[in-house]
Amino acid sequence: MSDCWCEVSRAKGQRGVVRSLRFLDPCRDAAPFVGRPLGALLAELGARAAVRSLGALLEAKGGDAVVVEEAGAEGAFLVVTSRAAPAGAVHVTVRHLEKHLLPLLLDAQIARAGRRSDLSAREGEVLRLLLHGRSLEDAAVLLGIAPRTVKFHQSNILRKLDAESRFDLLRVVFP
C-alpha cells in the first residue's frame, strides 16, 4: 500500500527534502526516504505524474496542489496532495484509491450538495441519476415514475441548487 503522509522542506538548500514520513502500512519502513528528495519517494510509489509536477506540489500556497493519476493496470488511482505548512515546509499526502471507490465518492459529494440545498429524498435520487449521465427517460424507468415527474424534480433541483442547466449542475455539485 502506498498511502503515506510526509513533511517536505521548502527552505533554501533543503527544498524538496523529506523531513518526516509516515506510511499507513505500519510494516513499511519510512527511514530510507527521510532526508532524501520527495521525487525519489514519489517515483518509488509509482507517482510519475506527481514527479513531473513536483514544482507545483512544493509551491502549494493558500490551497492544495493535487495530482491524480492511474496506478497500474488494476484501474486504481494515486492522489497526491500538498498543502503549505509552517516553518518553510509543505505537507504531502499520497493516497491509493481503488476504482470502485470513485462512484462512492461522487455519490457522497452529490448527497452533500443535496443536503446543503434541502433537496427531498426523491430529488436527491434524481440528481444522482442525472449526474451519472442518465437521461430523463432512464431515470423515470429506474425510479418507477413518469418522465414528466422526473422533469418536475429536475426543475426543482435546478432551482434549489441555483443551476441553469443539467450541465451547470456539475459546477454547483463539484465546485
Side-chain angles (χ1 to χ4, degrees), residues 145-157:
I145 58 178
R148 183 178 166 122
T149 305
V150 174
K151 191 156 184 70
F152 173 77
H153 288 308
Q154 175 184 277
S155 175
N156 286 340
I157 292 165

Side-chain angles (χ1 to χ4, degrees), residues 1 13 15 25 32 40 42 58 75 79 82 91-92 104 106 109 111 128-129 134 162-163 175:
M1 170 109 17
R15 186 174 189 269
D25 180 356
L42 295 174
L58 292 173
V79 180
S82 66
H91 291 158
V92 177
L104 300 173
L106 293 174
Q109 183 67 15
R128 186 179 62 76
L129 291 171
R134 297 295 187 156
D162 196 27

Side-chain angles (χ1 to χ4, degrees), residues 87-166:
V90 63
H91 291 158
V92 177
T93 305
V94 179
R95 295 175 184 93
H96 183 264
L97 294 176
E98 299 296 330
K99 66 181 177 182
H100 72 275
L101 294 176
L102 294 179
L104 300 173
L105 293 170
L106 293 174
D107 286 347
Q109 183 67 15
I110 292 167
R112 179 189 299 167
R115 285 190 304 275
R116 277 195 317 251
S117 302
D118 202 27
L119 297 183
S120 69
R122 180 63 87 181
E123 288 167 344
E125 292 172 333
V126 170
L127 175 62
R128 186 179 62 76
L129 291 171
L130 294 177
L131 288 177
H132 279 273
R134 297 295 187 156
S135 68
L136 295 176
E137 292 77 20
D138 286 345
V141 170
L142 290 168
L143 297 172
I145 58 178
R148 183 178 166 122
T149 305
V150 174
K151 191 156 184 70
F152 173 77
H153 288 308
Q154 175 184 277
S155 175
N156 286 340
I157 292 165
L158 292 173
R159 180 179 47 76
K160 289 180 179 182
L161 292 175
D162 196 27
E164 296 178 12
S165 65
R166 283 179 61 177

